[in-house]
Amino acid sequence: MNTEERKAIYNQAKEWVLEAGKNIRAKIDDPLIIDTKSNPNDLVTTMDKETEAYFVGKINQIFPEHHIIGEEGYGDKLTSLDGTVWIIDPIDGTMNFVHQKRNFAISVGIYHDGIGEIGLIYDVMEDNLYHAKRTEGAYKNENKLAPLAQNVRFDEAIIGLNHYWLCENRLVDELVMQQFVRKIRGSRTYGSAALEFAYVAEGIINGYLTMSLAPWDIAAGIVIVNEVGGVTTDIDGATLDMLEKNSVLTCNQGLQQEIIQFIEKGRK
């Protein structure tokens, strides 16, 4: 994807994200039909479905040759990331949306032949748009984000965590994760993976670690974190599979190695 193509797609995507957010704010107090998916805490609402359908309709109209992966199933069933692929979470943080009416985001990552080209994370109720185009830096609204601090020590770091994984975790012993929490300076849980990525990019937290996320949770955030010098891998340091669920670690490169080594040592 060349610079002009990326710019044109980005401009259109930004317009749609802001419009979708405006619609959500206008309807934030309307009655919702709330269903569950994989478990009683995995919520989906009429607004999730309406928002994803909005994006799918617009993309199919303007970019019919593009492909779509969406959380609510309105997109395509893909076996590769060949071509241009939009990876969409219409409301990341649905539980927050339902219970708090805040702390949720629209997340749109656009990839071309497997490379993250565009990332947009829109904190709808705060009206903050985190956005990036590959090789062009990352921004919060109109303000360019600074490169991540590279000298943060492990015991000085504030890490975003999904605390559920401290209680039940098939990848890492829960005692290891409890030791991890004791070792770092502090942990935070925001209830939206997209916002956690945005906060890493902004420097509000130093990293984000969780044991199972889908591509739509992370696609936009990876692009944004990349543009401030961060790195995103699984908890073993391996490249993520953007068609499957992954464990996820995003932070600066030095901290990444310390965290991976700590977890690996705890496994032995």
Side-chain angles (χ1 to χ4, degrees), residues 1-13 118 133 136:
M1 184 181 292
N2 64 42
T3 301
E4 289 304 310
E5 289 174 323
R6 187 163 56 238
K7 181 179 179 181
I9 295 169
Y10 163 83
N11 287 339
Q12 190 64 84
I118 296 165
K133 299 190 288 290
E136 298 183 38

Side-chain angles (χ1 to χ4, degrees), residues 103-121:
N103 300 321
F104 62 89
I106 298 171
S107 178
V108 177
I110 303 172
Y111 284 58
H112 183 75
D113 291 339
I115 297 172
E117 297 281 353
I118 296 165
L120 302 110
I121 295 172

